[in-house]
Amino acid sequence: MRKRFKYPTKLFTLMVLCFVGFNSLLLLISGVVYYGTYSEIAYREIRLAKKELLDETSQKLSNYVAGIQDTARFLVTNTMVQQYLSVEPESEYDFVFKSRQLYEEFQKLATVKAGLHSIELYTDWLIGYPTFQDQFMHPIKEAQAEGWLERMDRSDGYWIASHDHSSIGMISYVHQIIGNRGEILGIVKINIPDKMLFEILDKDGSAENVPDYYVVLDSGGNYIASVLPTGITVPERADEMVNAVSGTKYSVIQSDANSQYWMLLQLISKDVFKQSGKEIRTLIVGLLSALILLSIPLAFWVSRRLTSPIYGIVEGMRSIEKGDFNVRMNASSIQEYLYLTTHFNRMVHRLKELIGRLNQEHRDRREAEIQLLHAQIKPHFLYNTLDLIHWRALDYNAHEISLMVQQLSKLFRIGLSNDKWYVTVRDELAHARCYMAIQEYRQNFSTEYAENVESDLFDAIIPKIILQPFLENAVIHGFQNRHDNAVVHVDIEQRDEIGGKQLIVTIADNGCGLPDGFDIQTASGIGIRNVIDRIHLYCGPKYGVHIASGAHGGTQVIMNLPLIRNEEEMEQLTRSLSHEFDSLGG
């Protein structure tokens, strides 16, 4: 029994886990959806209540801000202020007298308005006179240095965000003083401590011992001041606050936009929204746990019913591993299992055929190897006979016959002695030179044969006997009606092409050229077709031969081959082109 369930038990366990997991997932999704819906409603109600309270607080803050701005407008429209600043002081005494009166006027308003820290005046009216009340009156260039003066070009008055002023966090309202002729006489700056704003916000805070966190924005949505928990950076715009608290335990509530005064952002702990969902969460968790426990027995029963047909297939696979290819599977009443058993039987049948085919190929290969060993005897007989003719010719002083036989013997030795399909460039060139030397004796015209090979390419590997057929065409067909000197050049070089380096072999002659309508695809020459087929077979279809008329007459043959420098690279090329059975279909 243990042996029978050794492998299927794993599938059985997997199916049980999947069934229970899927059922649990559905139950969890249902519970999450229900809890999420409930939480969303509760969250929306709590958020609405918090927002109404925040709107009230924002309105009170806006009323305070409106009072500050009214104070600034009163100062910039004050007749005495405009009169003093529009006329240069007559003397140093006049400057001190008027400066003191301006200071007292500003201080009177600062003491009347609650929450004001100080009021400052920026004007060039004081330039050229000794400083008076440094904390009260400043030249306008100091406003430029503080970095807020440029905004005056776009607005007569605006708020400056929280900044350090005399080691106190301060927000400021600045407003231009415009003279009767439209000139800028100065700038009034009203300073309010940050804590004053947050004291106003905390007056209506909840009784719970929970800290309140706010971000104050002006009517344009620009940052004014804030009190934030540790780890949250100060945003510059209202829409950046949501990103700033993303991933934290806080949620953002924003008061209604107010085009005239300020608005607020409040950070509220998410725990406040989750308190109402604790009881419903406990109820949902208990109900889901009970349903998941009840689904486990059902999962065992269904999984056992579904996995039992697999046992037969497993036993069949074990028989195949032992070499029994006569095993066959019985049909199943389940459609999917019927498909498996049918294709299993078909696979076994095709495997049996494939093994028989491979065995036959091994027998054929061994027979071919034996025949090759017998065939190797024939070239040795030919070499020995040619050597005998060579020496006999020397005995009769027939030196030309001796040289011809010697070149022919060397030609056969290079072409036939190596039982591989490839040779080095050096050996292929030697074979070509032997052939051209023999042709010197056969033809009634002289032949000029030249080679131009890059020095590092002599040991490169190429298919054997690919030069001789084209040299034969050049000599026999290119000069058959001519009696002048025949010139044949062989150039071998390497080039960088798409896909890597290639070996380029060029054979050029000064013969009569190609006949009209010549097409290499329909050429009837056996030698040319043999070279093209062998290049495609041994090197791949992207390599081949191109034949065209030369630029100055004659014929030009260009062969592009892979650049193979050693046996290892040749074996890699052979493996990449080998066609092996990679499926049961062969």
Side-chain angles (χ1 to χ4, degrees):
M1 195 71 174
R2 179 180 179 184
K3 181 179 179 182
R4 182 182 179 187
F5 286 93
K6 182 177 180 180
Y7 292 103
T9 301
K10 295 181 179 179
L11 177 61
F12 173 79
T13 303
L14 179 62
M15 293 188 66
V16 170
L17 293 176
C18 290
F19 186 87
V20 174
F22 183 72
N23 187 50
S24 301
L25 180 62
L26 289 179
L27 293 173
L28 287 174
I29 291 175
S30 301
V32 169
V33 171
Y34 177 78
Y35 178 73
T37 303
Y38 175 84
S39 299
E40 181 66 24
I41 295 174
Y43 175 83
R44 190 164 53 246
E45 293 297 328
I46 296 174
R47 190 179 183 88
L48 181 60
K50 291 287 186 180
K51 184 179 180 305
E52 291 177 355
L53 182 61
L54 185 65
D55 288 339
E56 294 179 4
T57 304
S58 176
Q59 185 61 41
K60 291 182 179 181
L61 182 63
S62 295
N63 294 336
Y64 176 78
V65 170
I68 299 299
Q69 295 182 189
D70 290 342
T71 300
R73 294 190 189 96
F74 175 79
L75 286 174
V76 300
T77 58
N78 187 288
T79 304
M80 182 190 72
V81 174
Q82 291 189 349
Q83 181 179 357
Y84 282 180
L85 296 181
S86 60
V87 179
E88 294 184 4
E90 297 177 355
S91 62
E92 183 176 342
Y93 172 79
D94 185 44
F95 168 76
V96 173
F97 174 76
K98 291 180 179 179
S99 297
R100 188 178 300 277
Q101 285 192 317
L102 290 173
Y103 176 74
E104 291 176 353
E105 184 69 19
F106 279 45
Q107 286 299 111
K108 185 189 304 180
L109 291 175
T111 55
V112 171
K113 189 65 178 178
L116 265 65
H117 177 270
S118 61
I119 302 178
E120 299 176 87
L121 176 61
Y122 290 80
T123 179
D124 290 337
W125 179 74
L126 57 80
I127 294 177
Y129 295 94
T131 58
F132 176 78
Q133 294 292 343
D134 291 344
Q135 298 300 321
F136 164 65
M137 191 178 301
H138 315 277
I140 291 182
K141 66 179 181 180
E142 290 190 12
Q144 180 71 33
E146 292 174 7
W148 51 265
L149 183 61
E150 294 181 356
R151 289 179 59 186
M152 281 294 175
D153 296 336
R154 302 187 298 270
S155 176
D156 292 338
Y158 58 88
W159 285 91
I160 302 176
S162 178
H163 57 280
D164 187 49
H165 184 275
S166 301
S167 301
I168 301 175
M170 201 79 67
I171 63 172
S172 304
Y173 181 75
V174 293
H175 200 289
Q176 293 181 348
I177 303 175
I178 308 298
N180 295 330
R181 291 175 293 180
E183 73 278 13
I184 299 177
L185 302 178
I187 303 173
V188 172
K189 181 181 179 185
I190 301 178
N191 300 315
I192 305 171
D194 289 357
K195 63 180 182 179
M196 180 61 193
L197 293 180
F198 299 117
E199 287 177 359
I200 297 174
L201 298 177
D202 290 338
K203 287 182 181 180
D204 295 321
S206 61
E208 300 178 2
N209 187 21
V210 179
D212 291 326
Y213 301 108
Y214 293 98
V215 177
V216 182
L217 306 171
D218 63 12
S219 58
N222 299 309
Y223 171 79
I224 297 297
S226 64
V227 52
L228 296 173
T230 304
I232 298 180
T233 57
V234 177
E236 296 182 357
R237 301 285 303 176
D239 51 3
E240 297 176 2
M241 192 67 237
V242 177
N243 296 331
V245 301
S246 178
T248 67
K249 64 177 183 179
Y250 296 97
S251 179
V252 179
I253 297 178
Q254 179 178 338
S255 65
D256 291 335
N258 190 325
S259 61
Q260 185 176 4
Y261 299 117
W262 287 357
M263 56 183 175
L264 293 176
L265 298 177
Q266 184 177 10
L267 273 65
I268 299 178
S269 175
K270 294 178 182 178
D271 295 337
V272 175
F273 301 104
K274 296 178 181 178
Q275 290 177 354
S276 60
K278 290 182 178 179
E279 294 182 2
I280 190 66
R281 182 168 63 246
T282 302
L283 177 61
I284 292 176
V285 169
L287 181 60
L288 291 179
S289 300
L291 292 175
I292 291 174
L293 291 175
L294 289 175
S295 68
I296 294 177
L298 180 61
F300 270 87
W301 181 80
V302 173
S303 299
R304 191 175 300 277
R305 294 276 296 180
L306 294 177
T307 56
S308 57
I310 299 294
Y311 303 151
I313 297 178
V314 173
E315 292 299 328
M317 295 297 295
R318 290 176 178 173
S319 299
I320 295 295
E321 291 177 354
K322 296 177 182 178
D324 182 10
F325 293 96
N326 295 318
V327 64
R328 294 294 183 270
M329 303 301 302
N330 297 325
S332 174
S333 59
I334 300 176
Q335 183 177 0
E336 286 75 10
Y337 291 139
L338 177 61
Y339 179 84
L340 288 176
T341 55
T342 301
H343 284 268
F344 177 85
N345 294 335
R346 188 179 302 172
M347 176 193 71
V348 174
H349 177 70
R350 296 176 70 179
L351 274 174
K352 188 175 181 180
E353 290 184 347
L354 178 59
I355 292 176
R357 192 187 310 169
L358 290 175
N359 291 333
Q360 183 63 37
E361 288 181 359
H362 286 306
R363 288 192 294 268
D364 294 342
R365 182 178 299 176
R366 290 196 60 184
E367 184 177 351
E369 291 175 352
I370 294 174
Q371 293 178 357
L372 179 62
L373 291 175
H374 288 293
Q376 288 178 348
I377 299 174
K378 298 178 181 178
H380 288 290
F381 175 77
L382 176 63
Y383 304 151
N384 294 333
T385 303
L386 291 174
D387 286 341
L388 179 61
I389 296 173
H390 163 67
W391 292 112
R392 295 286 293 184
L394 289 178
D395 290 341
Y396 290 96
N397 293 323
H399 296 288
E400 288 189 359
I401 296 175
S402 172
L403 291 176
M404 290 179 63
V405 172
Q406 190 176 12
Q407 293 293 336
L408 181 61
S409 176
K410 188 175 181 181
L411 181 73
F412 284 148
R413 287 181 185 277
I414 296 174
L416 299 178
S417 62
N418 185 3
D419 59 352
K420 298 180 180 180
W421 61 265
Y422 56 88
V423 293
T424 62
V425 171
R426 180 181 289 102
D427 291 340
E428 181 67 14
L429 291 174
H431 183 271
R433 285 193 292 271
C434 290
Y435 176 79
M436 293 301 295
I438 294 173
Q439 289 294 342
E440 281 279 358
Y441 296 105
R442 296 182 65 236
Q443 305 300 330
N444 57 357
F445 54 86
S446 61
T447 303
E448 178 186 337
Y449 174 73
E451 298 170 352
N452 181 22
V453 185
E454 295 183 7
S455 60
D456 59 340
L457 297 179
F458 283 103
D459 293 325
I461 296 175
I462 60 175
K464 64 165 49 174
I465 315 179
I466 60 174
L467 295 178
Q468 184 267 334
F470 296 105
L471 295 176
E472 180 179 353
N473 285 343
V475 174
I476 296 178
H477 300 293
F479 301 94
Q480 59 182 351
N481 298 322
R482 295 177 57 177
H483 300 284
D484 53 348
N485 291 340
V487 179
V488 180
H489 284 183
V490 176
D491 296 323
I492 300 179
E493 59 182 348
Q494 58 176 328
R495 294 180 188 173
D496 291 328
E497 302 289 345
I498 299 176
K501 291 183 178 297
Q502 292 188 7
L503 192 70
I504 306 300
V505 180
T506 305
I507 304 172
D509 63 62
N510 64 339
C512 60
L514 296 172
D516 295 336
F518 176 82
D519 185 1
I520 191 173
Q521 301 299 329
T522 59
S524 60
I526 297 176
I528 295 177
R529 176 50 53 190
N530 179 269
V531 172
I532 295 174
D533 291 342
R534 286 191 292 119
I535 290 177
H536 288 170
L537 177 62
Y538 297 138
C539 303
K542 70 177 182 178
Y543 302 101
V545 179
H546 176 71
I547 303 178
S549 298
H552 303 288
T555 304
Q556 186 179 59
V557 179
I558 300 176
M559 290 181 280
N560 62 312
L561 305 169
L563 181 57
I564 306 174
R565 295 189 178 275
N566 49 54
E567 294 280 346
E568 182 179 354
E569 293 182 1
M570 185 274 298
E571 292 177 0
Q572 291 178 357
L573 175 64
T574 303
R575 285 196 299 269
S576 67
L577 296 175
S578 63
H579 302 284
E580 299 179 353
F581 289 101
D582 57 358
S583 66
L584 295 179

